[in-house]
Amino acid sequence: MHVLKPKKSHNIEVLHPLLNRKAIRLFIKREDMLHPHISGNKYRKLFYNLLEAKRLGHNKILTFGGVFSNHIAATAAAGSEFGFETIGVIRGDEWKGRLDELGKENPTIRFARAQGMKLYFIDRKTYREEKDKPAFIARLQQKFGEFYLVPQGGTNELAVKGTEKILSEEDVNFDYVTCAVGTGGTIAGIINSSFSHQEILGFPALKENFLHDEINHYAHKNNWTLIRDYHMGGFAKINPELIRFINDFYHRTGIPLDAVYTGKMLFGLFDMIKKGYFPKGTQILAIHTGGLQGNDGINIRLKKKGEDMLEIPSFYSSGIVPG
Ligand SMILES: *Cc1c(COP(=O)(O)O)cnc(C)c1O
């Protein structure tokens, strides 16, 4: 078993003709490289939660997510690495009782199981309406015994304490910090540790509009803006233009992006740069929150449809990660 250690990732500069033309400097903080399979912000969000679970004497973590969820994959990996049993309560019961079949076509699920995660499927309505209610949690406790609960997407106070570690003193010279937004826990931590002269731009990966309250709940400053124009139709929706952008970005820079979060964020950022949103001389730090495991599932979808695929090395068959 390994010990949870605080970590720091490095910034690398992106070289691109558009940035030259607009006299803008863009750096990427490679949080995707924090850990080989507990990706980026999920490592940050789990960090203090796992310490707290240990402190409280728990040996079991229960959490929620969809069948391709980065958070499910990360929790499963963190459990096996740091010595917890894990239970994933999964949205959608169409795969109930057909786990082997699902594993054949879904690398996230295959990985979670290989890490020892126990999977429990619930229908979408229960997932949406019940999963945060005490009565439902009590039923889960009867079924699985005592556990430490991590909410869907991993966001709570301790998660935000973790994401506050993404920025450091060395990032003081940036004018803008950008990140992808799901539940808002990551951007909240970034806002809290940002400098007051910095503007934080969040790019929601979802169409839904509940984010302002959630971010305000955890964030102590208001130097932030949500850019809502680049979710591309909703969560995990993709299109050929996005796939082309991610492939082009990878071939130019060597930096792999995921198609659900970081790809849309950088697509949006480049579009804003093109349209002159930022003055000459602006220095931008984009946070690479990870999520690369999701690309394998995206490529399976694209292949089935006969569309152009992501030209990024497979996460799960790279040999680093057991499938
Ligand atoms: C989960 C995730 C996010 C969203 O983080 P929130 O804290 O839920 O806003 C962003 N990027 C990646 C790669 C993720 O996996």
Side-chain angles (χ1 to χ4, degrees):
M1 199 209 312
H2 296 81
V3 183
L4 279 155
K5 283 190 295 252
K7 294 192 179 195
K8 192 165 161 252
S9 55
H10 61 285
N11 301 338
I12 69 160
E13 182 158 16
V14 176
L15 304 176
H16 192 284
L18 175 68
L19 301 170
N20 284 345
R21 211 155 61 233
K22 298 286 186 180
I24 281 167
R25 292 186 75 184
L26 170 64
F27 291 73
I28 296 208
K29 189 178 284 294
R30 296 297 303 270
E31 291 274 299
D32 57 311
M33 297 175 81
L34 273 187
H35 189 283
H37 41 250
I38 311 173
S39 97
N41 67 338
K42 300 307 186 281
Y43 187 96
R44 300 289 185 193
K45 293 168 83 169
L46 285 167
F47 187 87
Y48 289 106
N49 276 293
L50 296 188
L51 288 179
E52 178 70 358
K54 281 242 187 301
R55 191 183 72 78
L56 295 172
H58 284 285
N59 58 13
K60 213 178 275 177
I61 307 286
L62 180 140
T63 196
F64 301 90
V67 288
F68 290 106
S69 160
N70 294 333
H71 172 64
I72 287 290
T75 304
S80 80
E81 181 157 340
F82 302 115
F84 293 96
E85 286 175 45
T86 52
I87 298 152
V89 179
I90 307 294
R91 177 181 54 229
D93 59 358
E94 61 274 19
W95 291 102
K96 210 173 197 158
R98 296 194 291 148
L99 208 42
D100 288 338
E101 212 180 314
L102 175 59
K104 275 194 196 110
E105 61 176 70
N106 182 319
T108 306
I109 292 295
R110 195 157 64 235
F111 174 72
R113 288 183 82 194
Q115 299 294 309
M117 181 177 258
K118 205 180 272 175
L119 299 172
Y120 179 60
F121 294 83
I122 61 176
D123 66 81
R124 281 155 212 274
K125 183 164 184 287
T126 308
Y127 191 94
R128 195 171 54 242
E129 293 171 8
E130 304 294 326
K131 75 173 178 312
D132 301 319
K133 294 191 180 151
F136 184 69
I137 304 299
R139 284 223 304 282
L140 292 174
Q141 264 157 353
Q142 275 166 12
K143 190 168 172 60
F144 296 109
E146 282 300 314
F147 51 73
Y148 182 86
L149 184 120
V150 176
Q152 163 181 239
T155 292
N156 58 17
E157 293 289 343
L158 289 171
V160 173
K161 184 175 169 188
T163 56
E164 286 172 359
K165 301 287 187 281
I166 293 173
L167 289 183
S168 77
E169 300 289 315
E170 293 158 33
D171 299 318
V172 62
N173 290 327
F174 292 103
D175 306 299
Y176 286 87
V177 180
T178 72
C179 71
V181 179
T183 61
T186 302
I187 193 172
I190 290 170
I191 293 164
N192 289 346
S193 55
S194 67
F195 295 86
S196 52
H197 69 271
Q198 296 177 325
E199 175 83 13
I200 316 305
L201 301 181
F203 293 74
L206 295 84
K207 201 159 46 179
E208 289 75 11
N209 224 334
F210 54 83
L211 275 166
H212 256 270
D213 292 347
E214 187 71 4
I215 296 171
N216 273 325
H217 177 78
Y218 293 110
H220 313 141
K221 294 185 211 159
N222 48 27
N223 56 338
W224 57 278
T225 306
L226 292 181
I227 309 290
R228 295 191 174 277
D229 307 325
Y230 301 102
H231 58 68
M232 304 189 179
F235 188 68
K237 296 268 195 298
I238 48 175
N239 61 54
E241 204 185 353
L242 173 69
I243 301 300
R244 254 195 317 276
F245 173 82
I246 293 173
N247 286 338
D248 179 68
F249 192 85
Y250 179 65
H251 295 309
R252 280 176 193 278
T253 67
I255 301 173
L257 303 173
D258 83 294
V260 177
Y261 292 104
T262 57
K264 290 181 180 177
M265 183 259 290
L266 274 149
F267 181 99
L269 187 57
F270 269 65
D271 193 54
M272 290 166 74
I273 292 170
K274 220 177 285 167
K275 291 175 174 159
Y277 184 96
F278 304 98
K280 256 189 189 144
T282 300
Q283 302 213 44
I284 305 170
L285 178 65
I287 310 299
H288 195 320
T289 39
L292 297 170
Q293 73 87 26
N295 282 348
D296 284 25
I298 297 280
N299 261 348
I300 291 170
R301 254 163 75 189
L302 288 169
K303 194 172 181 178
K304 263 192 194 155
K305 289 199 284 183
E307 291 179 12
D308 287 344
M309 294 163 63
L310 294 163
E311 291 154 13
I312 289 172
S314 162
F315 187 81
Y316 286 117
S317 19
S318 64
I320 308 170
V321 183

